[in-house]
Amino acid sequence: LRQETARSLGISMDSLKFYCSWKPSGIQKAKLPIQLVGLQIQGSQFDGGQLSISKHNSPSIATLSPCTVGWVPPNTPPPYPEEGCIPLPLYTTSSRECLVIELLVPCGTNTVSVMVQSGVAIFL
């Protein structure tokens, strides 16, 4: 995907940035966006707009809303402000043995440290 995006834009593959968006509008500047569906999250809740702390009666693993990912030109502004987001690891399974990539998830500035301590992760 990265190589094909670089080729279609006529720019270096190394100059591309990886973005993900949980917004229905996706990533505007992504030449070849891909929508990921059926992702699961553990250790937190996500309503499609913001990550929140799990309640005591929440399920330990929940299905996420669709996420659009893609590679964009280097001058593309991020879909979310970095100070209100947390990079969460995306693993192939809940055993957390094989890391795929980190996905940036909006969570608000006051909950970033809590999410890190909670060990929040996303699975395919």
Side-chain angles (χ1 to χ4, degrees):
L1 180 64
R2 187 177 186 186
Q3 184 176 21
E4 190 63 33
T5 300
R7 223 180 249 146
S8 67
L9 293 172
I11 61 176
S12 162
M13 196 168 74
D14 293 336
S15 68
L16 294 173
K17 291 182 181 178
F18 180 79
Y19 282 163
C20 73
S21 175
W22 304 90
K23 300 173 186 175
S25 59
I27 304 169
Q28 300 304 317
K29 299 253 182 161
K31 191 79 167 172
L32 302 168
I34 292 179
Q35 191 173 59
L36 304 176
V37 294
L39 296 177
Q40 297 184 317
I41 190 166
Q42 183 179 41
S44 182
Q45 299 297 309
F46 185 65
D47 63 8
Q50 189 164 339
L51 203 59
S52 60
I53 300 167
S54 291
K55 298 188 177 22
H56 70 281
N57 60 350
S58 299
S60 61
I61 296 179
T63 301
L64 291 169
S65 55
C67 171
T68 304
V69 298
W71 294 92
V72 297
N75 59 347
T76 305
Y80 306 103
E82 287 185 33
E83 63 273 357
C85 292
I86 185 171
L88 294 181
L90 172 65
Y91 294 102
T92 54
T93 67
S94 60
S95 65
R96 301 183 184 209
E97 293 174 4
C98 185
L99 176 69
V100 177
I101 198 163
E102 287 186 335
L103 299 177
L104 202 60
V105 182
C107 69
T109 54
N110 58 347
T111 57
V112 172
S113 62
V114 174
M115 295 302 162
V116 171
Q117 292 173 352
S118 298
V120 180
I122 301 173
F123 314 108
L124 293 176

